[in-house]
Amino acid sequence: MCFLESSITFCKNIKSKEERMIDEAEVRTDLREWRKREHAINVCLDARSRMQRQVELLLEYGKVDDAERVKQQIASLKIDKLIADAQSKREMYIQAIERLDAIDKIVVVENIINGKTYWRVAQDTAYSVDAIRWRAKRVARKLCAIINKKRVMER
């Protein structure tokens, strides 16, 4: 096989982000960004509703050109794509989190997603700080394994 043929074969074998294996760092990053994505969606939805109200008012006052400009701004928000992307990722992680032990669920939600410190989670759960730190690392590995196993099974 020549270099060109091997390159073409390699390129065909590259998988999309949804099909490839996920690593622990990506799991932690995704979970930490979860709150930010939810907030961004809420802000966009609030902005869209305010802008739609603005369009109604502009039409009442006969300012059709201004209303059209605001409608174009609403269309440029692309909220539906943002919601769809967040929804698919959210479902994937919720299904994985549901398979964890109770304390691991608490660690994921409170420490990784909500950003509570190890000592605050330890205080809330009556575990030691070292135990929470250890569980946070282990839970990322568990989620990674659960998600990757599910992806392999779906193929």
Side-chain angles (χ1 to χ4, degrees):
M1 180 184 315
C2 72
F3 176 75
L4 180 60
E5 289 173 342
S6 65
S7 297
I8 291 171
T9 305
F10 175 76
C11 289
K12 286 180 183 176
N13 291 332
I14 294 176
K15 297 178 177 21
S16 70
K17 189 171 184 178
E18 289 77 32
E19 294 175 351
R20 69 176 173 72
M21 296 296 192
I22 192 169
D23 64 355
E24 292 174 41
E26 189 173 350
V27 167
R28 292 182 76 78
T29 301
D30 284 347
L31 291 174
R32 284 196 170 117
E33 290 178 353
W34 185 328
R35 226 177 15 172
K36 294 175 188 174
R37 278 192 304 273
E38 297 293 323
H39 179 69
I41 290 169
N42 289 334
V43 167
C44 286
L45 290 172
D46 289 345
R48 181 171 68 181
S49 66
R50 283 193 309 271
M51 292 169 98
Q52 288 170 339
R53 179 66 182 136
Q54 186 179 11
V55 167
E56 293 169 5
L57 291 173
L58 288 169
L59 291 174
E60 280 180 26
Y61 292 115
K63 297 185 177 186
V64 178
D65 293 338
D66 291 338
E68 286 302 316
R69 184 179 48 80
V70 175
K71 284 181 183 178
Q72 289 173 352
Q73 290 174 343
I74 292 172
S76 72
L77 289 177
K78 299 178 184 173
I79 298 171
D80 297 329
K81 183 181 180 331
L82 186 65
I83 291 172
D85 292 345
Q87 183 66 26
S88 66
K89 200 168 263 198
R90 182 185 314 123
E91 287 174 7
M92 176 183 70
Y93 281 108
I94 286 175
Q95 289 173 359
I97 290 170
E98 286 175 350
R99 297 187 59 202
L100 297 174
D101 298 334
I103 186 64
D104 290 338
K105 289 177 188 176
I106 292 169
V107 170
V108 167
V109 172
E110 296 300 329
N111 176 255
I112 300 174
I113 295 174
N114 292 335
K116 272 191 180 179
T117 60
Y118 294 126
W119 70 268
R120 179 65 71 185
V121 176
Q123 186 179 33
D124 293 346
T125 59
Y127 278 80
S128 70
V129 174
D130 290 335
I132 297 299
R133 186 178 293 119
W134 178 79
R135 282 189 174 273
K137 289 177 185 174
R138 193 183 85 186
V139 79
R141 269 186 258 128
K142 279 184 175 180
L143 288 173
C144 185
I146 291 168
I147 292 167
N148 287 332
K149 182 178 180 181
K150 185 174 187 247
R151 286 182 178 176
V152 168
M153 300 290 274
E154 289 176 351
R155 289 184 191 163

